[in-house]
Amino acid sequence: MFQKLRSDLLIRLGGIKALLVNAEGFAGNGRTGNGIIAKGRNLIESLSEAEVICVAYSNSTSQEISSVAEALGIELHQNVSDPHKFYSYIKDEYSLQDGDIALIFRDCNDIKVAKMVNMPVASSGAPLEVKSEAYYACYHDGPCSVSELAELIITAKTYPGGWSE
């Protein structure tokens, strides 16, 4: 049964123009089956239709991460050693403000950026120290966390007053 989204989430998510994702969670979580990827790809396409960009980054080069990002249809930047510099680059590249951005993060290295964005979201596998800096904690990890947040953003944009059954 659907429930009304919290009004604070509607406000924060309704204005999102970019979803930034730490893609390290795409590797080795064992939850990248075709059904999960297909659902995620559909949600990323829906975000794009709602004029929300989705960009992922990782601090390494990994074929597994690259494959998942490609299957989801997410732009991926690899070998990102400084998330804060990358965040500044993305803001400049897409003419974004801090209030336009949601971030799915999972590492302590991401906390500085998480404190700047409108919607800091921790993946479910993130350590407690990271989750304590998040406004929202996903119920899922990896590509499933991207799908979860994408679905919330789409819902907030589609139903700005919420919905209930």
Side-chain angles (χ1 to χ4, degrees):
M1 179 191 289
F2 292 119
Q3 293 181 345
K4 202 169 188 172
L5 281 178
R6 295 182 349 216
S7 60
D8 60 317
L9 286 178
L10 287 171
I11 291 166
R12 284 181 178 248
L13 294 171
I16 295 299
K17 295 179 183 175
L19 173 55
L20 188 59
V21 180
N22 179 330
E24 293 297 317
F26 291 1
N29 67 12
R31 302 204 57 206
T32 56
N34 288 339
I36 291 170
I37 295 296
K39 178 183 179 187
R41 185 169 189 87
N42 289 339
L43 289 166
I44 297 302
E45 288 172 1
S46 294
L47 278 181
S48 181
E49 290 168 9
E51 299 182 0
V52 177
I53 62 164
C54 191
V55 179
Y57 65 94
S58 73
N59 62 7
S60 62
T61 300
S62 163
Q63 183 58 43
E64 183 179 10
I65 291 171
S66 180
S67 294
V68 172
E70 184 178 342
L72 288 171
I74 297 174
E75 175 185 339
L76 175 65
H77 297 261
Q78 297 187 68
N79 293 318
V80 173
S81 59
D82 185 345
H84 186 261
K85 283 183 182 176
F86 180 70
Y87 176 69
S88 294
Y89 163 76
I90 292 297
K91 280 179 36 179
D92 290 343
E93 182 73 16
Y94 293 100
S95 301
L96 298 167
Q97 302 295 318
D98 293 336
D100 300 332
I101 303 170
L103 169 70
I104 297 177
F105 67 114
R106 58 186 314 269
D107 300 323
C108 292
N109 292 340
D110 297 321
I111 290 175
K112 185 176 179 182
V113 174
K115 289 182 178 187
M116 299 171 73
V117 301
N118 179 16
M119 188 64 179
V121 176
S123 62
S124 68
L128 186 56
E129 178 182 359
V130 171
K131 287 181 179 177
S132 70
E133 298 296 335
Y135 190 84
Y136 177 83
C138 284
Y139 293 95
H140 304 95
D141 240 349
C144 295
S145 65
V146 176
S147 295
E148 179 180 340
L149 188 57
E151 195 165 19
L152 289 172
I153 293 169
I154 292 163
T155 301
K157 288 183 173 293
T158 306
Y159 304 101
W163 85 101
S164 61
E165 273 190 11

